[in-house]
């Protein structure tokens, strides 16, 4: 099963140094039944892209909580055994939790399929989005527009072997 773990660049550096994503439990995103129902598609690539996008939104929240982190969203795509990622059934109808899963154990970085990171040219929009996130959560439409601006940037794909150069 493919899951998408939201991080920041400092979090990615820690994972690289430790050789694993952790400590557990880890919040991640995957193609869950609720995400399938919300997205209304049977195309697995589209569904996985939706899960990746949800993880990128979670990465933005991590950036908002860490003002010292470089303003680039980071998502690590990891393959885990079926059943290793569990969705909270009590939050299945909560739109903010669509695709959200929890991993009970740390995941070796060797299980990573890819790393997705914003390009340098996204930093200004991502920084503005991180700053506006709180106001957007409280219904400020201008702030929501700013947050949505970060989503206009596609995350770049990197192979795991490229981590040392990326960091």
């Amino acid at each position: 099963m493919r899951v998408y773990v939201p991080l920041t660049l400092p979090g990615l550096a820690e994972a690289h140094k430790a050789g694993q994503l952790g400590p557990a439990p880890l919040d991640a995103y995957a193609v869950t039944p609720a995400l399938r129902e919300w997205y209304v598609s049977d195309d697995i690539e589209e569904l996985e892209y939706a899960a990746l996008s949800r993880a990128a939104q979670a990465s933005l929240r991590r950036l908002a909580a860490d003002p010292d982190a470089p303003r680039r969203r980071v998502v690590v795509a990891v393959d885990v055994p079926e059943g290793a990622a569990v969705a909270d059934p009590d939050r299945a109808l909560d739109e903010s939790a669509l695709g959200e899963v929890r991993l009970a154990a740390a995941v070796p970085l060797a299980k990573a399929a890819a790393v997705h990171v914003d390009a340098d040219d996204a930093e200004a929009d991502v920084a503005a989005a991180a700053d506006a996130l709180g106001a957007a959560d409280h219904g400020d439409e201008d702030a929501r527009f700013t947050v949505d601006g970060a989503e206009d940037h596609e995350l770049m794909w990197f192979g795991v072997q490229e981590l040392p150069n990326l960091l």
Side-chain angles (χ1 to χ4, degrees), residues 34-162:
L35 184 74
R36 281 181 188 274
E37 187 174 322
W38 172 74
Y39 198 74
V40 192
S41 175
D42 290 331
D43 184 330
I44 191 63
E45 288 183 13
E46 287 182 18
L47 290 164
E48 286 186 351
Y49 183 77
L52 171 65
S53 296
R54 301 291 294 172
Q57 292 169 358
S59 176
L60 182 64
R61 291 197 173 279
R62 290 177 180 236
L63 290 173
D66 184 358
D68 295 329
R71 302 335 241 173
R72 294 171 70 190
R73 298 168 298 165
V74 177
V75 176
V76 179
V78 189
D79 293 318
V80 298
E82 289 294 327
V86 179
D88 183 345
D90 293 334
R91 295 192 64 197
L93 298 178
D94 181 352
E95 191 171 317
S96 69
L98 288 171
E100 189 176 273
V101 295
R102 176 149 299 160
L103 299 168
V107 179
L109 206 51
K111 299 283 185 184
V115 179
H116 303 271
V117 181
D118 275 311
D120 292 340
D121 67 352
E123 284 189 25
D125 288 340
V126 171
D131 291 343
L133 198 54
D137 286 347
H138 287 97
D140 182 319
E141 290 300 319
D142 290 336
R144 170 58 40 207
F145 182 78
T146 301
V147 170
D148 290 346
E151 294 176 17
D152 290 340
H153 295 276
E154 294 287 327
L155 297 177
M156 298 186 327
W157 182 95
F158 293 91
V160 178
Q161 69 277 12
E162 296 178 272

